[in-house]
Amino acid sequence: MVHAGRPPAGWLDGFEYRVFRVERWICVLSLVVMLLTVSVSVAVRYFNLGLPNVAEWAIVAMSPLTFIGAAMCTYAQSHIAVDVVKLLPQAGLRRAARGAVALALLVFAGVYAWIGTLFFVDMRQSGERMLDMGTPVYVPVFFLMLGMVLMLVHAAIELWRVLSDQPPIDEASLT
Amino acid sequence: MIAFALLALLVLGVPVGVAFALLVMVRADAWNIDLSSLASIPYDTVSSFPLLAIPLFLLGGELMNRGGLIRQLTAVCDILLGWVRAPLGHVMILASALMGAITGSSVATVAAIGGTVGREMSLRGYPRGYTAALNASAGLLGVLIPPSIPLILYGSIVGVSITQLFLASVMPGIVMMVALGVVHAWMSRRVLPGGQETAATAQASTHATVDGAMVRRSVASVLTRSIPALMLPVLVLGGIYSGVFTPTEAAAVAALYALLVTVLGRMTKLTELNGIFGRAALSSAAILVIIGFTSIFNRAMVLEQVPQSIASYAAGFTDSALVFLLVVNLVLLLIGMFMETNAATLLMGPLLAPAAAKFGIDPVHFAIILVTNIELGLLTPPMAANLYVAARTNNADLVSLLRYLGWFLVAALLVMAVITYVPQLSLWYRYF
């Protein structure tokens, strides 16, 4: 199960775990929104209820699921990657590779947090809205920006863990 | 240089989506890409209604698995295929074809079947890597068995009848099923302990062990217990083909149905739903990150006109239709390795279709060649979505998956050659 037991010891680990719990809650809520709105839109069309297309919210929910989910995957070490380095017998090489990955994630998330913020500000100023329900585009874009900021936090803490020779978060311990 | 840098990032263990995006970031100036525009590309890619099918099918799969619906379906498949040795692998192939007939998408098929039948295979003694390799390969049926999203895209953009394309893809789909079944029948002798599946889970088996003795349950009893599970494909396929809902909406209906059956049938506790949704969310996010961020690399390739250059080279290479098709096969394999299926279909279809027509190749036949060929890219790294999704949903690492993939890939390539050089296989419907 991804909902897990007690937060880990240490204030930084505990803080990161609580951030993860919030991310997970947002992603679960996104899934619920997708499930309900798409199902409702089928019913609305089948029974000709004359209501607007609420499935637009399902498309909006893809943003938190993807980008907040990216941060969640960074914490849970569940991004899809080629795991060949983990099979190496030398602990030093494994640690170096882990550090390089954390650094790559830090750079990636840093750049995306920055350009995501620019994108969010742009959408906020343009006032652009989606077609069916009129949802402002800056709403889903906000989750892109937030997700990348959270990913940056997780990547920085993971890099600190590597430098202080602490073990990574084990996905299995969260499930 | 680019390929080397990408390989280095991937081997280090950088997440696949992040590795592709980093490469474009570093080369943004050289490729004339404004860095600030990179935020809108993954956002636009994932804000897509058809892509909703992936998280919703993953959720449905998780609910069906935890609620026992998959065990019920597997029990029925056991009855149908129980006489075959190592039946669950064949069940996975058959189920992938059925899911292909529901989703029209390869990745969604892999996600749904891997999350359900894949787990049962692991319980029956198949190595996780083997299960994931079969899952990824059988996912090709998601596109070959109609409806097929890439064929719809091809028909729309090149101007070929989509109905004819759907009919044309049926026989190649069946040939692919047979080919994968043959490989599984052969491989299962090597990967299973003693060449046989270990005891199935109690609900899945038509044989239950009682005090060490094998007692055959009545087929009627198994079928009765499986009615809620058997209604699911009827509901989904009936809904799609009667026009009540689209394949993406079918994913939501399937998940909602699985939720209701699971909760009302007291197959799972309400408190467990939190965990079920959490697992589905984590798997969905891992897949959507790849789809979203690799789209940046797709855009860069288009801006650099790489596919256009390759297409022009392929068309000007020879006067022989057979050699042209061979070059097309190789070029599309290469493109499929680096581009997402739908994007590659939309790009390469209009570029190559006119050249194929000049060589006298039937446009329907060429569409099947092109889509199947690009589809094979889902099994060939680095951009091999089926492999990544299958590894994720079957809890297998990529290295162990790749160890078992070879023969399935060879089978798929042989089927590809047959599709290319035997046009009657695709144009069968014209003989009736």
Side-chain angles (χ1 to χ4, degrees):
Chain A
M1 285 176 291
V2 176
H3 66 97
R6 286 170 296 180
W11 73 268
L12 190 60
D13 288 348
F15 162 76
E16 194 185 14
Y17 176 77
R18 284 181 178 82
V19 171
F20 163 75
R21 291 291 302 263
V22 173
E23 291 163 357
R24 185 189 159 281
W25 183 83
I26 292 171
C27 289
V28 166
L29 191 65
S30 302
L31 262 184
V32 173
V33 167
M34 284 177 195
L35 179 64
L36 293 180
T37 53
V38 176
S39 302
V40 166
S41 73
V42 174
V44 164
R45 195 177 58 240
Y46 186 72
F47 295 110
N48 201 17
L49 297 178
L51 294 170
N53 182 19
V54 288
E56 179 182 293
W57 291 338
I59 297 172
V60 171
M62 285 290 270
S63 265
L65 185 60
T66 306
F67 302 112
I68 303 285
M72 184 171 68
C73 288
T74 305
Y75 174 75
Q77 305 276 319
S78 60
H79 276 297
I80 297 170
V82 180
D83 307 316
V84 68
V85 171
K86 288 182 182 169
L87 302 175
L88 290 175
Q90 295 91 343
L93 281 178
R94 286 202 306 271
R95 189 177 162 204
R98 197 180 136 211
V101 171
L103 194 62
L105 284 169
L106 193 75
V107 172
F108 167 84
V111 172
Y112 256 93
W114 170 55
I115 58 177
T117 306
L118 295 179
F119 187 34
F120 171 72
V121 170
D122 194 25
M123 287 299 111
R124 189 87 178 81
Q125 286 171 348
S126 73
E128 199 175 317
R129 288 175 181 271
M130 295 171 95
L131 288 176
D132 292 315
M133 301 288 292
T135 310
V137 176
Y138 68 76
V139 173
V141 170
F142 168 76
F143 288 106
L144 187 157
M145 179 184 70
L146 179 63
M148 293 301 105
V149 170
L150 291 170
M151 194 174 178
L152 185 68
V153 171
H154 290 307
I157 296 175
E158 168 63 2
L159 190 60
W160 176 81
R161 261 193 221 105
V162 175
L163 294 174
S164 55
D165 203 15
Q166 291 181 42
I169 298 294
D170 179 14
E171 186 188 351
S173 71
L174 301 169
T175 59
Chain B
M1 184 62 191
I2 294 168
F4 178 77
L6 182 63
L7 192 67
L9 286 171
L10 291 175
V11 168
L12 270 176
V14 174
V16 175
V18 174
F20 275 92
L22 276 174
L23 205 65
V24 178
M25 282 179 189
V26 172
R27 299 272 304 164
D29 271 351
W31 286 342
N32 293 318
I33 297 171
D34 181 11
L35 202 60
S36 62
S37 72
L38 291 183
S40 62
I41 299 171
Y43 165 75
D44 287 339
T45 303
V46 298
S47 300
S48 140
F49 192 75
L51 273 188
L52 282 166
I54 294 173
L56 289 171
F57 271 120
L58 283 168
L59 176 63
E62 197 67 45
L63 284 163
M64 287 163 74
N65 184 47
R66 294 287 155 180
L69 294 177
I70 290 304
R71 287 197 295 276
Q72 293 171 357
L73 273 180
T74 311
V76 175
C77 290
D78 266 359
I79 292 171
L80 292 174
L81 293 167
W83 54 276
V84 186
R85 204 183 48 77
L88 210 59
H90 298 289
V91 169
M92 178 173 263
I93 296 168
L94 184 64
S96 297
L98 283 172
M99 285 305 290
I102 295 170
T103 65
S105 153
S106 200
V107 175
T109 297
V110 174
I113 299 301
T116 52
V117 183
R119 285 176 194 170
E120 191 65 32
M121 283 181 74
S122 297
L123 289 174
R124 293 198 192 182
Y126 290 92
R128 286 186 189 278
Y130 178 80
T131 303
L134 178 60
N135 185 203
S137 311
L140 296 178
L141 298 166
V143 161
L144 277 175
I145 303 292
S148 158
I149 293 169
L151 282 177
I152 294 171
L153 294 174
Y154 183 93
S156 315
I157 199 157
V158 179
V160 182
S161 157
I162 293 168
T163 310
Q164 282 196 43
L165 291 178
F166 280 0
L167 283 170
S169 68
V170 170
M171 286 304 286
I174 292 171
V175 172
M176 185 70 85
M177 279 177 70
V178 172
L180 295 176
V182 168
V183 174
H184 167 68
W186 178 64
M187 290 279 286
S188 59
R189 290 180 190 279
R190 298 168 57 186
V191 300
L192 283 170
Q196 297 288 338
E197 290 177 358
T198 52
T201 55
Q203 281 173 285
S205 180
T206 52
H207 298 79
T209 305
V210 179
D211 294 328
M214 294 296 285
V215 181
R216 187 167 185 82
R217 277 191 199 156
S218 78
V219 171
S221 163
V222 172
L223 288 175
T224 308
R225 287 158 57 96
S226 305
I227 285 174
L230 288 171
M231 284 302 294
L232 186 57
V234 174
L235 177 75
V236 170
L237 286 172
I240 291 173
Y241 286 111
S242 63
V244 176
F245 40 73
T246 65
T248 302
E249 291 168 342
V253 173
L256 193 63
Y257 176 84
L259 178 66
L260 291 175
V261 169
T262 302
V263 172
L264 297 179
R266 296 181 179 177
M267 295 168 178
T268 189
K269 293 173 189 167
L270 277 174
T271 50
E272 290 173 349
L273 287 178
N274 190 26
I276 292 173
F277 275 75
R279 275 188 298 275
L282 199 63
S283 298
S284 304
I287 294 165
L288 289 172
V289 165
I290 288 194
I291 294 173
F293 289 106
T294 51
S295 63
I296 299 169
F297 188 74
N298 283 339
R299 186 71 64 91
M301 283 188 72
V302 173
L303 287 172
E304 280 294 287
Q305 301 206 323
V306 173
Q308 288 89 333
S309 309
I310 294 173
S312 141
Y313 175 74
F317 186 74
T318 179
D319 291 331
S320 158
L322 289 180
V323 177
F324 169 74
L325 283 175
L326 183 65
V327 174
V328 164
N329 282 156
L330 295 174
V331 164
L332 292 178
L333 271 178
L334 192 68
I335 293 283
M337 288 166 77
F338 291 95
M339 285 192 80
E340 190 270 331
T341 306
N342 293 332
T345 304
L346 283 169
L347 192 69
M348 298 310 288
L351 290 173
L352 289 174
K358 275 186 198 166
F359 283 106
I361 299 162
D362 188 282
V364 172
H365 177 214
F366 188 71
I368 305 298
I369 294 172
L370 184 131
V371 168
T372 312
N373 218 152
I374 290 173
E375 182 76 357
L376 286 181
L378 291 170
L379 295 182
T380 47
M383 198 175 285
N386 275 19
L387 298 189
Y388 303 133
V389 176
R392 172 82 210 159
T393 50
N394 291 286
N395 292 322
D397 62 83
L398 273 172
V399 177
S400 67
L401 185 160
L402 291 171
R403 193 179 302 152
Y404 295 106
L405 185 72
W407 287 109
F408 291 113
L409 191 57
V410 168
L413 286 168
L414 285 175
V415 173
M416 182 68 247
V418 172
I419 290 172
T420 304
Y421 294 104
V422 184
Q424 291 83 356
L425 190 67
S426 304
L427 305 177
W428 63 275
Y429 62 94
R430 294 188 185 164
Y431 299 101
F432 295 93

